[in-house]
Amino acid sequence: MIQVVDVVKRYGAVKVVDGVSLTIPKGKVTSLIGPNGAGKSTLLSIISRLLSRDAGYVYIDGKELAEWGSKDLSRKISILRQSNHIDLKLTIRELVSFGRFPYCQGNLTEQDWDIVDRALAYLQLTSMQDKYLHQLSGGQRQRAYLAMIIAQDTDYIFLDEPLNNLDMQHAVEIMQILRSLVQDLGKTVVLVIHDINIAACYSDYIVALQDGQVVGEGCGEEIMEESLLKKIYNLDFSIGQVNNQRVCVYYN
């Protein structure tokens, strides 16, 4: 479980994260939603210790973030950032092997390579593992990065807008993979996402942010309310029902 307590992040006089407190349940998919500038990516970076905070506390499995050693933390949490382009001529297999660095510092053992092979198989990348990253489509490349995260074998997986620049088919494939990581491997997945309908469909828990503050949290049914979403996004739309799932069916 991750507990965020009164976390603040300032840039000058502006609080981009303003006293945020929340609990991220273990073994679930949690989505952070909200408009641009709401503080979603900043909060994710603070929780993963990529960004310092000006106030507040973050507890991962009961231990404050500052108390974690770097090696232990890299075996507990992994993060796939929004800009994950690597300007190197790497094959998929080589990229996925980077996930083992916290355990072997680059000197992979036979056991490490076995874990890499399992990650490739899980993402159905074995047949193309010798392809170079620049030869891949956007969806294939995102699966390769997810395989690297799986090879890192952490309890918590953080993803910053993993669906960016993906068409609907590949976005759904990625979300199905994230759900399987929770259901099959017992991982905890936390992601920043813009598509409300996809968040509602695939998330166990949703946290809505606006102007650096939490303005709503709960399951999809609780968040998919017209009054809340109109307040957050300042848009007119209606909530409909598709296969017993509440969805936004109109934007204006």
Side-chain angles (χ1 to χ4, degrees), residues 49-230:
R49 210 166 73 179
L50 292 179
L51 193 63
S52 64
R53 60 214 134 114
D54 294 309
Y57 304 92
V58 177
Y59 297 93
I60 297 179
D61 290 344
K63 186 176 179 179
E64 217 288 321
L65 191 58
E67 297 174 0
W68 284 90
S70 295
K71 182 180 287 188
D72 289 338
L73 188 63
S74 66
R75 296 178 179 182
K76 176 62 68 171
I77 68 173
S78 53
I79 182 165
L80 188 58
R81 303 185 70 177
Q82 188 178 152
S83 54
N84 53 29
H85 179 70
I86 296 177
D87 192 21
L88 294 172
K89 191 176 182 182
L90 290 175
T91 65
I92 294 174
R93 184 174 174 80
E94 289 169 335
L95 174 71
V96 176
S97 73
F98 288 176
R100 300 306 300 161
F101 190 85
Y103 304 90
C104 64
Q105 283 69 56
N107 299 310
L108 276 73
T109 65
E110 185 176 342
Q111 181 182 10
D112 290 314
W113 283 115
D114 284 343
I115 293 171
V116 169
D117 288 336
R118 289 202 298 270
L120 287 165
Y122 193 83
L123 270 298
Q124 300 180 342
L125 293 168
T126 303
S127 63
M128 62 176 70
Q129 62 182 304
D130 295 322
K131 279 192 173 184
Y132 290 100
L133 297 182
H134 71 269
Q135 298 175 312
L136 306 179
S137 68
Q140 290 171 333
R141 191 177 299 113
Q142 196 70 324
R143 281 165 54 205
Y145 281 107
L146 282 176
M148 178 183 68
I149 293 296
I150 292 172
Q152 192 173 335
D153 194 23
T154 59
D155 293 336
Y156 296 95
I157 297 173
F158 301 142
L159 305 111
D160 190 1
E161 299 190 30
L163 309 185
N164 259 13
N165 303 315
L166 297 183
D167 60 28
M168 181 60 70
Q169 177 187 347
H170 288 105
V172 168
E173 287 177 0
I174 293 299
M175 292 305 299
Q176 290 172 337
I177 290 167
L178 297 181
R179 280 239 53 96
S180 69
L181 291 179
V182 170
Q183 294 166 355
D184 299 343
L185 303 181
K187 304 299 185 182
T188 299
V189 174
V190 185
L191 68 151
V192 172
I193 186 170
H194 281 289
D195 192 306
I196 306 167
N197 289 329
I198 289 182
C201 183
Y202 291 99
S203 305
D204 300 296
Y205 200 72
I206 299 175
V207 178
L209 292 108
Q210 183 183 37
D211 297 328
Q213 297 180 325
V214 174
V215 293
E217 55 185 308
C219 66
E221 285 288 318
E222 294 169 308
I223 296 300
M224 296 294 281
E225 291 289 341
E226 288 186 29
S227 58
L228 175 62
L229 295 180
K230 286 180 179 179

Side-chain angles (χ1 to χ4, degrees), residues 201 221 240-247:
C201 183
E221 285 288 318
Q241 201 89 10
V242 178
N243 294 329
N244 297 318
Q245 172 74 48
R246 290 169 67 84
V247 296

